Amino acid sequence: MSSKQFAQLLLCKVINEQDISQLTKYNITATDMPTRVDRDTYQFLRDYYEAQGEMPSYATVATSVANFDYVPDVTDSFTYLAKQVKNYSGKVAIFQLLEDPTMQAKFESMDSIEFAEYIEQAMHEIKVNAKISTGLGTNVLLDGEKFLTEYEKRKAGESNKVWASKFPTINREMGGYTEGNMYAVYGRSGRGKSIIVMEDALEAACNGAHVLIWALEMPWFEWMARAYSSLSARRQIFNAQIDGVDYKTGFYNRDLQQGKLDETFEQAFRVFTLELGEGQHVKGSITLRSVDDDNFDRRDLAALQADIEAVSANFVVIDPIYYMDFEQNTSKTAGGDVAATSKKLRRLAGKTKTAIIAVTQAEEEKESRNDEGARSISIPSRSEVKKSKAILEDAAALLAFDSADDTGVIAIKKGRSGGEDVQAELVFMPSYGVVKEIEYEAALVREF
């Protein structure tokens, strides 16, 4: 039997069983049909069912479709037949791609990386289309064993990985960051929201996560200086007295950025970086793509997925999301490009089993100051989120941040698992690498 005949057998079995849902279940489309007769038969079945609400008999199909050859008593399973149809369709698609008359022109006009990405994307689409689903959803009443299998994996820490936050309130109220979810963090410009997100990314890396950072407005040297300051503070390398209080600190961030460490500190820093390279302090990995990288030209979802797969990322930061290359605004509505990107980003988190944190900005407001003229903390509301409000709806949790002087506050503005309107008060001195939650119950307050 020719491989292309499996499409005919599948269509005849659909007619015999009077069950067109099998075509949808296994994602069988007209493009999977290898011959004109098969495509005409497929389309006739679809059109007839849509108009009549029921399937036609084989006699009606034979009368309506030229050269239709009916095969009775097809006993092979739908799964087997669908798999054969998809297999043949995939091979045809690969052949057509390789024989594409424009291939030579693409090869000559694109550089090697662009051409490789074009081939990779085309082959990925063929691979996705060639797969068949193994069933429609999960039977809640009959699939108890499936649930118990997943339950045991989670019990053993082998599935549904949760990456702990550096801040106890986030862990207590949200349960940390769970793979497959997208989270959003927002705050006004210059208040330190990128620091907060970096701290949790470093925490995940310290706990074994492969972290991917898309720093879309911060140069790599600045980001690394901040990270080194924080990681060294976790090692409590130095003692410092700040405003009369003793702290365990790391390397001073500004000195790192300006290349002004004194000789003793510079030698200690060189030892520290060697220890990092040997994996002494961080169990996982951190891959940084920054705004000033020469080869960081594509910043769309396809490029993000490629980076995630390349480094086997578990924890992803996009800072800020509004500097990504957005998806096309097919809805023709205001903000449609952001909305489309947000929805696909959420799906990407689930598909790649990553925890994705998207950073965005809040509208500026007139600063609030106390009697001494010092700026006071003012947590922005959800309505103040700027440019990318769609991610508020798609995110599993929404965190707002603000800082003033040496303090900061994280507020949970939306939490799928609870904790909405809970706040955590922080010691916020990122210049010394010191960013931590104040450990007393008064730090946990609720807004009224």
Side-chain angles (χ1 to χ4, degrees):
M1 176 184 294
S2 171
S3 296
K4 66 172 61 176
Q5 289 179 277
F6 283 108
Q8 176 192 6
L9 296 181
L10 176 63
L11 294 172
C12 287
K13 187 174 180 67
V14 167
I15 296 169
N16 294 341
E17 301 284 335
Q18 293 285 285
D19 187 3
I20 200 171
S21 69
Q22 298 296 327
L23 298 178
T24 301
K25 176 180 179 180
Y26 294 107
N27 192 32
I28 303 297
T29 67
T31 59
D32 295 316
M33 299 293 102
T35 69
R36 170 61 65 85
V37 174
D38 292 331
R39 288 191 290 274
D40 291 346
T41 304
Y42 177 95
Q43 197 59 52
F44 178 76
L45 294 179
R46 286 290 193 190
D47 293 343
Y48 187 97
Y49 184 82
E50 183 176 349
Q52 304 300 325
E54 60 183 8
M55 289 291 290
S57 66
Y58 79 89
T60 299
V61 179
T63 301
S64 304
V65 179
N67 299 318
F68 172 72
D69 187 10
Y70 176 65
V71 180
D73 302 324
V74 180
T75 58
D76 301 288
S77 70
F78 279 113
T79 301
Y80 174 79
L81 294 172
K83 185 176 182 180
Q84 300 307 312
V85 170
K86 284 293 189 180
N87 178 54
Y88 185 77
S89 175
K91 288 184 177 180
V92 170
I94 292 173
F95 178 81
Q96 290 174 340
L97 174 65
L98 298 178
E99 292 294 312
D100 183 355
T102 67
M103 182 71 74
Q104 184 65 33
K106 289 185 174 69
F107 179 79
E108 293 175 353
S109 63
M110 296 178 176
D111 63 33
S112 58
I113 294 177
E114 289 176 320
F115 186 74
E117 289 176 344
Y118 160 71
I119 295 294
E120 182 181 43
Q121 180 62 29
M123 294 299 288
H124 176 73
E125 292 173 359
I126 292 173
K127 181 179 178 180
V128 169
N129 187 63
K131 290 182 178 179
I132 66 168
S133 60
T134 56
L136 183 62
T138 301
N139 190 314
V140 175
L141 302 182
L142 301 180
D143 285 342
E145 189 62 33
K146 176 181 177 181
F147 180 89
L148 288 171
T149 299
E150 177 66 14
Y151 174 84
E152 291 299 330
K153 287 183 178 179
R154 296 192 179 197
K155 183 178 178 181
E158 299 173 356
S159 181
N160 197 48
K161 184 67 178 180
V162 177
W163 301 103
S165 169
K166 187 181 182 182
F167 311 107
T169 294
I170 302 299
N171 296 321
R172 182 170 58 245
E173 299 295 331
M174 285 173 34
Y177 300 99
T178 304
E179 69 174 22
N181 281 340
M182 182 178 79
Y183 301 87
V185 176
Y186 73 103
R188 298 184 183 92
S189 178
R191 302 297 177 88
K193 58 187 179 296
S194 294
I195 294 290
I196 294 301
V197 175
M198 182 196 73
E199 291 289 345
D200 273 347
L202 296 179
E203 186 73 11
C206 288
N207 290 325
H210 297 298
V211 174
L212 172 65
I213 306 292
W214 268 26
L216 300 181
E217 66 177 354
M218 190 182 300
W220 65 267
F221 191 81
E222 180 180 347
W223 198 96
M224 289 181 69
R226 292 183 176 189
Y228 286 153
S229 183
S230 174
L231 290 170
S232 58
R234 293 165 195 250
R235 304 294 299 168
Q236 300 184 351
I237 290 179
F238 304 114
N239 296 311
Q241 189 175 83
I242 304 170
D243 294 334
V245 180
D246 292 328
Y247 293 97
K248 300 290 186 180
T249 71
F251 293 99
Y252 190 56
N253 176 31
R254 188 177 301 169
D255 287 349
L256 287 175
Q257 290 196 45
Q258 296 178 354
K260 292 184 177 180
L261 290 174
D262 68 32
E263 186 175 346
T264 302
F265 283 6
E266 183 176 308
Q267 183 60 36
F269 180 69
R270 291 181 185 278
V271 172
F272 173 73
T273 58
L274 288 174
E275 291 175 348
L276 282 179
E278 294 169 355
Q280 293 189 33
H281 308 318
V282 180
K283 297 178 182 178
S285 65
I286 307 169
T287 302
L288 172 65
R289 304 295 302 275
S290 63
V291 65
D292 56 342
D293 283 355
D294 291 336
N295 61 347
F296 194 21
D297 298 321
R298 286 187 56 195
R299 301 173 185 182
D300 56 12
L301 287 170
L304 178 63
Q305 180 176 340
D307 284 357
I308 289 172
E309 293 172 350
V311 301
S312 301
N314 312 111
F315 195 100
V316 179
V317 171
I318 306 167
D319 182 12
I321 188 174
Y322 50 81
Y323 281 160
M324 283 189 70
D325 297 331
F326 288 146
E327 296 294 289
Q328 185 175 359
N329 185 2
T330 57
S331 67
K332 306 303 180 183
T333 59
D337 51 352
V338 183
T341 302
S342 177
K343 285 182 173 59
K344 290 186 178 181
L345 190 62
R346 181 181 179 183
R347 293 175 195 159
L348 184 61
K351 179 180 179 180
T352 57
K353 296 187 181 301
T354 54
I356 296 180
I357 301 182
V359 181
T360 190
Q361 195 164 312
E363 298 284 356
E364 296 297 325
E365 67 171 13
K366 185 177 180 180
E367 291 185 346
S368 176
R369 296 184 178 271
N370 60 23
D371 293 339
E372 286 74 36
R375 181 169 56 79
S376 58
I377 289 177
S378 174
I379 294 293
S381 66
R382 290 177 61 168
S383 63
E384 294 177 81
V385 173
K386 187 178 181 181
K387 299 180 182 178
S388 43
K389 296 181 185 295
I391 70 169
L392 307 191
E393 304 303 323
D394 294 327
L398 177 64
L399 303 176
F401 178 75
D402 197 26
S403 66
D405 296 325
D406 295 334
T407 62
V409 172
I410 301 174
I412 302 174
K413 289 299 186 178
K414 168 190 172 183
R416 184 186 298 164
S417 301
E420 191 162 328
D421 288 332
V422 173
Q423 296 185 359
E425 186 177 349
L426 314 180
V427 174
F428 189 71
M429 296 185 295
S431 293
Y432 298 90
V434 179
V435 179
K436 62 180 181 178
E437 185 170 343
I438 298 175
E439 297 177 359
Y440 56 83
E441 287 301 313
L444 185 61
V445 297
R446 289 186 179 272
E447 296 178 334
F448 294 95

